[in-house]
Amino acid sequence: MTDALSATFFALADPTRRAILARLASGDATVTELAEPHEMSLAAISKHLKVLEGAGLISRGREAQWRPCHLEAGGMREAASFIEEYRRFWDDSFASLKEYVKTLEPRTDGGKPERKRK
Amino acid sequence: MTDALSATFFALADPTRRAILARLASGDATVTELAEPHEMSLAAISKHLKVLEGAGLISRGREAQWRPCHLEAGGMREAASFIEEYRRFWDDSFASLKEYVKTLEPRTDGGKPERKRK
DNA sequence: TCGGTTGTGAACCTGATGGTTAAATACGTT
DNA sequence: AACGTATTTAACCATCAGGTTCACAACCGA
């Protein structure tokens, strides 16, 4: 799982980690603050943060004994692009665009009878 | 990892599985066809396909001894929405929109001196 | 019915994940 | 220097992921 994309998707594949990101979307927070809503040891949260940091989804500062976490959503860019590549397969607006194009040029190819039905 | 979103991200967190999806984007394919570019046993590919199917990213037909796989990109909807929630944190157009809004209303709040600097 | 091809299932192995508890570290306060 | 708070590290454990090989099932063709 050495590539960045895998690391990103992997990091996002855990509810606890997604909850942490959601929390950080509303502002930086310390580890203890992030751990508070979860029934889990601080050490476990610390591990999750390491995964998120490794994926470039958060960064950590240093303020006295606190290590405030900061959302680095830019780490999702590549993942977003990946998924967008597939949007045309499900998005209705793409589907209707496809229909529209079909209407415009009902027969531009010069061969293949295209008789296959059922 | 019972929730759909986790399953989706998990399925996407593997290069082999992403390659399979990419291949299916250009049309349905049998298991052997999908396996061909990978240095891996057929059984391993079969497992990957099960993961993808479990995440709702592909479906499988049945034609004689072949089990043609079909891309079900709709399974990415939720994942796409999730990531889009964070786009404003990195997308430049969102950033400049923020700047623009700031220009429009430099002081709309009635209280808090907001003197905190550095 | 006997092969040949396609795909899955079961058993197995190795290494990684996700959690635990118990030290250890880093820092501010007294 | 000693204490308290915040966080990480280490050691450990159970389970899972991803791969293997081998046997088997499903199907076509002769």
Side-chain angles (χ1 to χ4, degrees):
Chain A
M1 202 247 291
T2 55
D3 63 295
L5 201 43
S6 298
T8 307
F9 281 132
F10 176 80
L12 293 178
D14 182 285
T16 305
R17 288 193 290 262
R18 290 197 304 274
I20 289 174
L21 292 178
R23 169 55 244 276
L24 290 176
S26 64
D28 296 5
T30 68
V31 178
T32 325
E33 283 167 355
L34 291 173
E36 197 266 316
H38 305 282
E39 296 184 344
M40 199 178 295
S41 72
L42 219 49
I45 297 291
S46 194
K47 280 189 186 179
H48 281 304
L49 293 176
K50 200 187 289 189
V51 172
L52 289 169
E53 191 178 25
L57 294 174
I58 69 168
S59 60
R60 282 188 273 187
R62 184 162 298 229
E63 251 184 74
Q65 68 259 223
W66 294 278
R67 240 128 297 179
C69 295
H70 177 77
L71 179 64
E72 297 287 351
M76 295 185 198
R77 267 173 189 275
E78 209 188 335
S81 302
F82 176 90
I83 291 188
E84 286 310 313
E85 290 285 316
Y86 292 88
R87 181 177 291 276
R88 63 191 177 101
F89 289 105
W90 85 78
D91 197 312
D92 279 348
S93 55
F94 271 93
S96 42
L97 178 63
K98 215 158 104 186
E99 281 305 307
Y100 174 65
V101 171
K102 207 179 290 176
T103 308
L104 277 187
E105 343 183 5
R107 194 129 303 166
T108 51
D109 64 321
K112 287 280 190 68
E114 183 77 59
R115 201 181 316 266
K116 192 176 190 180
R117 82 184 56 189
K118 174 91 204 295
Chain B
M1 203 247 289
T2 56
D3 63 296
L5 201 42
S6 298
T8 307
F9 281 132
F10 177 80
L12 294 177
D14 182 285
T16 304
R17 289 195 289 262
R18 290 196 303 275
I20 289 175
L21 293 177
R23 169 56 243 276
L24 290 176
S26 63
D28 295 6
T30 69
V31 179
T32 325
E33 284 166 356
L34 291 172
E36 197 265 318
H38 305 283
E39 297 184 345
M40 200 178 294
S41 72
L42 217 50
I45 297 291
S46 195
K47 280 190 186 178
H48 282 304
L49 292 176
K50 199 187 288 187
V51 172
L52 289 168
E53 191 177 25
L57 294 174
I58 68 169
S59 60
R60 282 189 274 189
R62 184 162 298 229
E63 250 183 74
Q65 68 259 220
W66 294 278
R67 241 126 297 179
C69 295
H70 177 77
L71 179 63
E72 297 287 352
M76 295 185 198
R77 268 173 189 274
E78 209 187 336
S81 302
F82 176 91
I83 293 188
E84 286 309 313
E85 290 285 316
Y86 292 87
R87 180 176 292 276
R88 62 192 177 100
F89 289 106
W90 83 77
D91 197 312
D92 279 349
S93 56
F94 272 92
S96 42
L97 177 64
K98 215 159 104 187
E99 281 305 307
Y100 174 66
V101 171
K102 206 179 291 173
T103 308
L104 276 186
E105 344 185 3
R107 195 129 305 164
T108 52
D109 64 320
K112 286 280 190 67
E114 183 76 60
R115 201 182 316 266
K116 194 178 189 178
R117 82 186 54 190
K118 177 76 198 310

